[in-house]
Amino acid sequence: GFRTPESKRDKMKNLVADKIEVLGALAIKTRRVLKGHGNKVLCMDWCKDKRRLVSSSQDGKVIVWDGFTLSKENGISVPCTWVMACAYAPTGCAVACGGLDNKCSKAVAMHTNYVSGCTFTNSDNQILTSSGDGSCALWDVESGQLLQSFHGHTADVLSLDLAPSETGNTFVSGGCDKKANVWDMRSGQNIQSFESHVSDINCVKYYPSGDAFASASDDATCRFYDLRADREVAVYQKDSVIFGASTVDFSLSGRLLFAGYNDYTINVWDVLKGTRSSILFGHENRVSRVRVSPDGTALCSASWDHTLRIWA
């Protein structure tokens, strides 16, 4: 397993929680549909208040939503279409976004190609970005100054994810060179590299404990890597799944892996068994992003069908 030593009682509680979660996957359905974008929704992120969320779209708009009332709290027009990345700051007081204009508009960060992903570190003061220029970068938000750059990919970087621990100084990135790289934020060094996909890696996401991560690829598989063992330990695939996987996220306990695909579906995988627990239908185009809410009670998906869906 991927858990730290625990008492018998804790083990039983976790087993019961896991069982409830796996059974619950069969009952997940759409509870709300958020409509307001005029084109493909490319990214979304939850606020830590568990209620608000932000989305970005090819229509050049960034929208802040109230997930309970479905109302739009704020709409921001960005001076470029294809706003491919957006993220909430930890305090909920700011959002960042980036896209085809090569910059991340909260940190005034500049790459030499499109910004594919962005995430705040554990404060509102620093932001990590990934780019089509093959690099990742750490920026100071106020000054826009480059603090650290990360070079090691040989093609576009499509995704990045920060390690979940408060003191975490590592992040993982994935891209068109079929590699997933783990980086030390302080030194800029590539400390681990994994290369078992046979096509572009569209998304990487840490396991809740921080000891492992999952990846989603155009090769129609999702893969699970154990960082301590330094190797791939599971592949999530079926003969009937032939379309690329575009996005992944874990349930709060880490027992389920939600994966969005180019055939408009979301597959729910049992992380430990490697089997598919259920399929979520509803979107009418490619699923571009899935994100579990901070309290684990809901899943939000963004799609090229111009909508977001909240599942529970």
Side-chain angles (χ1 to χ4, degrees):
F2 304 94
R3 290 201 178 91
T4 50
E6 54 204 344
S7 69
K8 263 188 183 169
R9 197 187 319 167
D10 285 343
K11 271 186 180 162
M12 284 305 295
K13 268 162 87 178
N14 283 326
L15 281 170
V16 171
D18 276 354
K19 197 162 188 183
I20 290 168
E21 196 162 71
V22 171
L23 290 170
L26 302 171
I28 296 172
K29 56 185 178 190
T30 301
R31 308 292 173 179
R32 295 179 179 90
V33 180
L34 307 182
K35 294 179 179 177
H37 281 293
N39 213 318
K40 297 170 184 173
V41 186
L42 303 172
C43 191
M44 63 77 48
D45 192 28
W46 287 95
C47 180
K48 284 200 172 151
D49 68 6
K50 309 164 196 157
R51 177 167 183 153
R52 287 176 297 160
L53 46 114
V54 61
S55 61
S56 63
S57 167
Q58 192 186 339
D59 63 9
K61 292 209 167 47
V62 175
I63 296 176
V64 174
W65 308 81
D66 183 315
F68 293 174
T69 65
L70 309 192
S71 61
K72 299 179 195 73
E73 286 196 353
N74 214 328
I76 307 149
S77 288
V78 181
C80 90
T81 55
W82 284 87
V83 189
M84 300 168 76
C86 63
Y88 246 112
T91 61
C93 296
V95 295
C97 61
L100 286 189
D101 62 354
N102 307 353
K103 66 184 180 186
C104 191
S105 58
K106 179 70 178 81
V108 204
M110 280 297 289
H111 280 278
T112 57
N113 209 320
Y114 65 90
V115 174
S116 57
C118 64
T119 184
F120 285 86
T121 61
N122 294 313
S123 79
D124 289 16
N125 303 324
Q126 292 181 353
I127 198 163
L128 265 171
T129 54
S130 59
S131 171
D133 64 15
S135 75
C136 298
L138 179 67
W139 309 87
D140 179 84
V141 170
E142 289 307 314
S143 66
Q145 184 184 353
L146 176 67
L147 302 175
Q148 186 68 263
S149 58
F150 307 88
H151 298 275
H153 284 285
T154 54
D156 303 27
V157 186
L158 299 178
S159 174
L160 83 167
D161 191 40
L162 187 69
S165 87
E166 292 285 318
T167 55
N169 286 301
T170 61
F171 72 94
V172 61
S173 62
C176 293
D177 57 2
K178 310 166 197 170
K179 280 185 188 166
N181 290 336
V182 180
W183 305 87
D184 185 318
M185 270 204 297
R186 294 160 298 186
S187 67
Q189 295 300 304
N190 178 196
I191 51 177
Q192 281 175 286
S193 195
F194 301 90
E195 196 173 357
S196 55
H197 281 293
V198 294
S199 192
D200 298 5
I201 295 175
N202 294 314
C203 184
V204 285
K205 186 68 184 171
Y206 269 99
Y207 189 69
S209 68
D211 295 325
F213 73 90
S215 57
S217 168
D218 275 346
D219 65 16
T221 72
C222 297
R223 293 169 190 262
F224 190 58
Y225 301 92
D226 186 328
L227 295 172
R228 293 174 297 185
D230 196 32
R231 66 185 183 91
E232 177 192 292
V233 291
V235 184
Y236 306 101
Q237 62 184 351
K238 279 179 83 70
D239 289 343
S240 58
V241 178
I242 57 171
F243 288 86
S246 51
T247 176
V248 282
D249 198 11
F250 288 99
S251 63
L252 208 58
S253 76
R255 183 61 195 267
L256 299 176
L257 180 69
F258 299 96
Y261 290 78
N262 295 346
D263 66 353
Y264 320 165
T265 64
I266 298 166
N267 284 337
V268 186
W269 300 94
D270 184 313
V271 171
L272 298 181
K273 291 181 181 172
T275 54
R276 186 167 64 185
S277 297
S278 66
I279 314 174
L280 309 182
F281 298 98
H283 281 298
E284 294 168 18
N285 208 324
R286 171 183 171 152
V287 179
S288 53
R289 185 85 157 176
V290 289
R291 278 291 172 265
V292 173
S293 64
D295 60 3
T297 60
L299 172 77
C300 184
S301 57
S303 168
W304 284 16
D305 67 9
H306 306 187
T307 72
L308 298 104
R309 283 176 178 257
I310 296 176
W311 312 74

